[in-house]
Amino acid sequence: MNQLSTPRIVSMIAALTRHRDVSLLETSLLKTVADLFAPDWAAIFHIGDDDVPVFSTSLREGIVSQTDFPESFSELIGTEGVTSFPIMSHALKVLGYLLVHRQPQLSEEERTLMTELFRVYDNYLSVLRDSQVDRLTGLLNRTTFDDQLDRALGLIRASYQDHAGERSKRKVGEGTGSFFMGEIDIDHFKSVNDRFGHLHGDEVLIILARILQSTFRKSDLIYRFGGEEFVVIVYVDDRRDAELTFERLRISIENHVFPQVGKVTVSIGITEIRDTSFPVELLGHADQALYYAKTHGRNRVAFYEALLANGEIGAYQRSAKA
């Protein structure tokens, strides 16, 4: 281990906790690990959809990389020289693991220092997650959506490469699909609050959030946008797959019996997220599709690009204020 003074360690901790984005926080963690222990490599694995740790971020020779590890978590964990540290939630649920590989392996003193560093990291991660989550539903909040969308668009733009002056899409993740955003609004929600009271209205929002979480994957991003409005960003094969995914959500909500309230339906507007998209335009496209669904019977899914191609709506125009 590098010989570090107390001020230097404090400075590292300050650098570690300066980010508000969880993924950037993980990058800081890996860089701190590199400075402290000079490992051969370090990697973070998140608990995936099937409760199996899935590769997230790696560091080799001090450089953060997004390339996949050829080995699985189960293979790496048994490798000589690998030390594992669990990443915990505030409720002591395991969210993932940090693996550190070095020969010679970390000493007892280094493990203790790493454990203390993780106490700081876990506490800050808990505070950070609390600030990103809607208190009522447990979903990500509107502020988090605004903070993350620009970064998400940057990643989407990075999924395109120039070949002889032409844009062509390269593989993203484990497929060659696309990102789509769905805006979901509860039909006649004001009447639910008026007839049954706000406590039962809140119960509807909580149950709807659970249906959203059970419909989509852990890798999808689900936000409570405010009031009775939700936004979901998904990565699927194509436009048809996106429409089927949100249609499945619509049917699940329609078929669910809500306590006291009974039946509830939603209207959904979808748009594709392209590498040329801008946040205000994405929201405008989704809003137009949602408005079309609301004014054409409600309890339905409407796709902006399909409506535009069929001439059922006009192209979105950015306002002077946008």
Side-chain angles (χ1 to χ4, degrees), residues 288-309:
Q288 276 189 268
L290 178 61
Y291 180 77
Y292 183 92
K294 287 282 190 183
T295 55
H296 287 74
R298 302 179 188 268
N299 189 27
R300 62 180 296 173
V301 176
F303 215 119
Y304 171 81
E305 283 76 12
L307 294 172
L308 186 64

Side-chain angles (χ1 to χ4, degrees), residues 153-174:
L153 287 172
L155 293 175
I156 292 167
R157 292 181 188 113
S159 71
Y160 288 79
Q161 289 180 324
D162 288 330
H163 294 280
E166 296 183 0
R167 242 175 60 249
S168 65
K169 192 169 184 183
R170 65 176 173 84
K171 185 175 180 181
V172 181
E174 296 184 356

Side-chain angles (χ1 to χ4, degrees), residues 165-192:
E166 296 183 0
R167 242 175 60 249
S168 65
K169 192 169 184 183
R170 65 176 173 84
K171 185 175 180 181
V172 181
E174 296 184 356
T176 53
S178 297
F179 290 89
F180 295 85
M181 185 174 79
E183 192 172 333
I184 302 148
D185 191 86
I186 301 176
D187 296 325
H188 303 296
F189 186 67
K190 183 180 183 300
S191 68
V192 172

Side-chain angles (χ1 to χ4, degrees), residues 80-314:
E80 184 179 357
V82 169
T83 306
S84 172
F85 298 92
I87 300 174
M88 309 290 291
S89 71
H90 192 61
L92 300 183
K93 178 182 178 181
V94 177
L95 303 174
Y97 297 89
L98 167 69
L99 301 186
V100 180
H101 179 270
R102 197 192 66 185
Q103 294 286 13
Q105 200 165 5
L106 298 185
S107 67
E108 193 63 36
E109 180 185 3
E110 289 172 323
R111 289 173 188 245
T112 299
L113 177 57
M114 188 68 204
T115 299
E116 293 302 309
L117 179 66
F118 251 89
R119 287 179 61 188
V120 174
Y121 178 83
D122 288 343
N123 287 338
Y124 183 68
L125 183 62
S126 175
V127 171
L128 190 60
R129 289 188 186 279
D130 283 346
S131 72
Q132 294 179 337
V133 170
D134 173 62
R135 297 273 177 157
L136 179 66
T137 63
L139 302 178
L140 296 171
N141 59 29
R142 171 64 190 266
T143 301
T144 306
F145 173 86
D146 293 335
D147 288 345
Q148 290 183 346
L149 186 57
D150 274 332
R151 186 170 180 276
L153 287 172
L155 293 175
I156 292 167
R157 292 181 188 113
S159 71
Y160 288 79
Q161 289 180 324
D162 288 330
H163 294 280
E166 296 183 0
R167 242 175 60 249
S168 65
K169 192 169 184 183
R170 65 176 173 84
K171 185 175 180 181
V172 181
E174 296 184 356
T176 53
S178 297
F179 290 89
F180 295 85
M181 185 174 79
E183 192 172 333
I184 302 148
D185 191 86
I186 301 176
D187 296 325
H188 303 296
F189 186 67
K190 183 180 183 300
S191 68
V192 172
N193 283 327
D194 291 343
R195 291 173 59 201
F196 301 100
H198 287 277
L199 285 178
H200 290 304
D202 286 349
E203 186 178 42
V204 168
L205 294 172
I206 293 168
I207 294 173
L208 190 83
R210 291 174 184 166
I211 296 173
L212 283 163
Q213 290 171 319
S214 65
T215 301
F216 296 98
R217 302 162 299 186
K218 288 183 180 179
S219 56
D220 297 326
L221 299 173
I222 310 172
Y223 305 87
R224 183 186 176 196
F225 224 50
E228 69 274 24
E229 193 173 341
F230 300 82
V231 169
V232 181
I233 296 177
V234 299
Y235 179 75
V236 292
D237 289 339
D238 52 33
R239 188 178 297 178
R240 179 60 178 161
D241 198 12
E243 192 168 11
L244 289 173
T245 299
F246 283 100
E247 178 66 16
R248 185 169 65 249
L249 169 69
R250 185 197 65 77
I251 293 171
S252 294
I253 294 170
E254 182 184 28
N255 291 339
H256 190 88
V257 179
F258 291 76
Q260 305 299 322
V261 175
K263 293 290 187 177
V264 171
T265 64
V266 296
S267 298
I268 303 173
I270 316 172
T271 187
E272 183 174 358
I273 304 176
R274 303 173 182 273
D275 64 317
T276 55
S277 298
F278 290 92
V280 67
E281 290 170 329
L282 282 173
L283 292 171
H285 294 171
D287 276 339
Q288 276 189 268
L290 178 61
Y291 180 77
Y292 183 92
K294 287 282 190 183
T295 55
H296 287 74
R298 302 179 188 268
N299 189 27
R300 62 180 296 173
V301 176
F303 215 119
Y304 171 81
E305 283 76 12
L307 294 172
L308 186 64
N310 294 335
E312 296 179 82
I313 60 172

Side-chain angles (χ1 to χ4, degrees), residues 32-104:
T32 302
V33 169
D35 287 341
L36 284 172
F37 307 114
D40 299 320
W41 56 259
I44 288 176
F45 285 76
H46 289 154
I47 302 298
D49 291 325
D50 300 320
D51 292 327
V52 175
V54 178
F55 171 75
S56 172
T57 311
S58 75
L59 183 148
R60 294 177 184 271
E61 299 178 357
I63 300 173
V64 175
S65 168
Q66 293 294 337
T67 56
D68 289 340
F69 256 93
E71 303 90 350
S72 67
F73 176 82
S74 59
E75 291 172 327
L76 288 171
I77 198 70
T79 303
E80 184 179 357
V82 169
T83 306
S84 172
F85 298 92
I87 300 174
M88 309 290 291
S89 71
H90 192 61
L92 300 183
K93 178 182 178 181
V94 177
L95 303 174
Y97 297 89
L98 167 69
L99 301 186
V100 180
H101 179 270
R102 197 192 66 185
Q103 294 286 13

